[in-house]
Amino acid sequence: MRNPTTTTLGYALFATRWLQAPLYFGLVAAQGVYVYKFFKELWTLILMCVSGHATETYVMLAVLKLVDVVMIANLLIMVIVGGYETFVSRIGLQGHRDQPEWLSHVNSNVLKVKLATAIVGISSVHLLQMFVDVHHTSHHALLWGTVIHMAFIASAAILAYMSGPMVARADRGHSDRAPAGHAQAGPAQAGHAQTVGQEESDRGDRHRAQPDAEASVAAPAVPRQPDPDADAEARIRAAGFPARKLLEDFDQQHPRDFDRETVARLGKAEFVAARRNVVLVGPPGTGKTHLAVALGVRACRAGHRVLFATAAEWAARLTEARAAGRLDAELTALDDHPLLIVDEIGYTPFDAATAGLFFRLVAHRYERASLIVTSDRPLGRWEEVFGPSAPAMTDRLAHHADIVRLDGDSYRTRRATSAWAD
């Protein structure tokens, strides 16, 4: 049982992060100063050019000075937005179309590397200014400017090199914590490899015995994509996929009908950054899980952490957390994964208590993070699975979602029929 005093103290200490908020607004004021400086320099340059007093060297130096101001302003934006979201509070852009690409997976390591590279860029501009105005720059200043610039480059390279292992260790540490939720799920996931994704039965047996070995063997066999880096591989292994599936390997001729353009767009993994959901609906054996896993792999390679489990496995995990009195903490811990995949909704109906747990999961992630769900029945029939809580759940799930309907015969049945005919 939690100690109320300790919990209150912890929340109070956590609330002190808001003391940093005025600092970021101070940086906003500094940004305004740089805007004023930029237009002042620009106006001076225009006047010099119009009056005919601007030499080529002057124009080049003035333009470099403007570029310098812009790069410093970019650095400020990176610190203001990225630092605020990393250390103070998440910014609820809710999939805004202008959301910067780097903001979707910003963290302290990413922020440090981006700041270091921005400083290298600024230093490059300053050094270029020295070379352009070399006749008015002492050899001593030029030498030390070059040395300092090389020091910035070396420090940025070292920081970038160190951040990779840090992320990999963080992913491995999370995967070490995950077995508590996956220990129960293991057998179900193993059997699930037979049921979904157009997989050979013997390959599924090998995966159940050695999932990591299959992942390491499958990676070099991808001919149409570059090999993912070590961090992406760590995220893929930690995701708990039943087997490695790729969009390139999906048999697009098997389903009689599905939205190929939507699937191709989802393959860019931008829906994760936009905190949108994906709902894959269709009869058994039409490739729903294959697509769900393939989109999850793409998300891992795009820098996002993903967690996969069947609906039954999620039910067991959430039920265990509730029984231990840590359901809220479990839902909060899942926020570390921008994408959760819930497979096989509809195959087994749930009681009211379990349905309530799924509602808590969907409601908690609403406009906060992404879900991919697969089901054998459309959202309008989810009352057959979740009972009275289904309408409120599907309303939140479908509000920001791409729904892909797959229609066709079972891939496994077709293969079995073909084998029998042969």
Side-chain angles (χ1 to χ4, degrees):
M1 181 178 293
R2 296 181 181 178
N3 187 323
T5 304
T6 304
T7 302
T8 303
L9 181 60
Y11 280 126
L13 291 175
F14 182 61
T16 60
R17 71 192 190 280
W18 290 105
L19 293 175
Q20 293 190 48
L23 305 182
Y24 290 106
F25 284 104
L27 290 179
V28 172
Q31 178 109 354
V33 172
Y34 268 98
V35 171
Y36 169 77
K37 180 177 176 60
F38 177 89
F39 283 103
K40 181 180 178 181
E41 295 287 348
L42 180 62
W43 180 248
T44 302
L45 174 60
I46 293 173
L47 290 180
M48 291 292 288
C49 291
V50 171
S51 63
H53 295 93
T55 63
E56 182 178 355
T57 301
Y58 173 82
V59 172
M60 188 176 298
L61 289 172
V63 170
L64 286 175
K65 189 177 295 185
L66 294 176
V67 172
D68 186 31
V69 171
V70 170
M71 294 185 71
I72 294 176
N74 290 341
L75 179 63
L76 280 173
I77 279 290
M78 205 175 297
V79 174
I80 293 169
V81 179
Y84 182 89
E85 171 143 320
T86 301
F87 300 107
V88 180
S89 179
R90 178 173 293 175
I91 300 175
L93 295 180
Q94 300 178 357
H96 193 285
R97 63 178 183 177
D98 294 331
Q99 178 179 341
E101 179 274 334
W102 55 268
L103 187 58
S104 63
H105 50 269
V106 67
N107 54 49
S108 57
N109 284 326
V110 172
L111 191 61
K112 285 187 290 187
V113 172
K114 288 186 176 293
L115 290 177
T117 53
I119 291 172
V120 169
I122 294 170
S123 175
S124 300
V125 173
H126 279 275
L127 190 61
L128 182 58
Q129 286 177 309
M130 290 184 181
F131 281 113
V132 170
D133 197 25
V134 67
H135 298 296
H136 298 88
T137 305
S138 66
H139 292 291
H140 180 78
L142 194 60
L143 174 63
W144 278 107
T146 304
V147 170
I148 293 173
H149 179 64
M150 296 305 296
F152 282 143
I153 293 177
S155 61
I158 293 172
L159 190 59
Y161 174 78
M162 292 175 61
S163 66
M166 289 179 183
V167 174
R169 282 198 298 271
D171 286 334
R172 285 196 297 270
H174 183 84
S175 64
D176 291 340
R177 294 192 300 271
H182 284 283
Q184 291 176 286
Q189 276 190 350
H192 179 66
Q194 293 286 337
T195 321
V196 184
Q198 309 168 4
E199 182 74 358
E200 295 283 344
S201 61
D202 56 340
R203 184 178 176 186
D205 292 337
R206 290 196 302 272
H207 173 76
R208 289 195 296 273
Q210 295 180 346
D212 287 345
E214 180 184 348
S216 62
V217 170
V222 182
R224 283 157 288 182
Q225 274 196 337
D227 290 339
D229 58 21
D231 294 344
E233 280 298 312
R235 288 188 290 269
I236 291 172
R237 288 194 298 270
F241 298 125
R244 182 176 302 217
K245 300 293 184 180
L246 303 178
L247 286 180
E248 295 89 334
D249 296 334
F250 183 72
D251 184 1
Q252 297 196 19
Q253 304 306 316
H254 170 63
R256 284 194 295 266
D257 181 41
F258 79 103
D259 192 340
R260 290 170 174 79
E261 292 184 1
T262 298
V263 171
R265 174 170 53 80
L266 293 173
K268 299 177 182 178
E270 294 176 351
F271 71 95
V272 183
R275 298 165 188 169
R276 293 180 59 85
N277 302 321
V278 178
V279 181
L280 302 168
V281 182
T286 50
K288 301 183 298 298
T289 301
H290 186 127
L291 290 178
V293 172
L295 293 176
V297 170
R298 286 288 182 91
C300 289
R301 289 175 174 172
H304 305 292
R305 299 178 68 184
V306 180
L307 201 56
F308 176 100
T310 65
E313 292 162 0
W314 281 115
R317 179 170 183 159
L318 296 175
T319 300
E320 179 186 353
R322 180 185 59 188
R326 53 178 179 82
L327 179 60
D328 290 337
E330 180 73 7
L331 294 174
T332 301
L334 290 174
D335 289 342
D336 290 341
H337 296 80
L339 175 61
L340 299 183
I341 301 177
V342 183
D343 194 28
E344 292 185 338
I345 287 181
Y347 293 93
T348 304
F350 296 108
D351 58 33
T354 305
L357 293 176
F358 274 99
F359 174 78
R360 288 283 303 275
L361 177 65
V362 173
H364 180 82
R365 295 183 71 82
Y366 175 62
E367 295 187 335
R368 180 181 302 187
S370 297
L371 286 166
I372 294 179
V373 300
T374 72
S375 178
D376 67 338
R377 62 198 69 195
L379 298 181
R381 292 178 52 197
W382 276 23
E383 289 188 15
E384 301 169 8
V385 182
F386 296 108
S389 63
M393 184 191 310
T394 56
D395 179 67
R396 289 167 172 79
L397 182 67
H399 183 206
H400 304 294
D402 291 284
I403 301 176
V404 179
R405 169 78 187 185
L406 295 98
D407 188 21
D409 299 324
S410 170
Y411 183 85
R412 292 178 293 278
T413 302
R414 186 186 72 173
R415 293 193 59 176
T417 304
S418 175
W420 178 260
D422 293 341

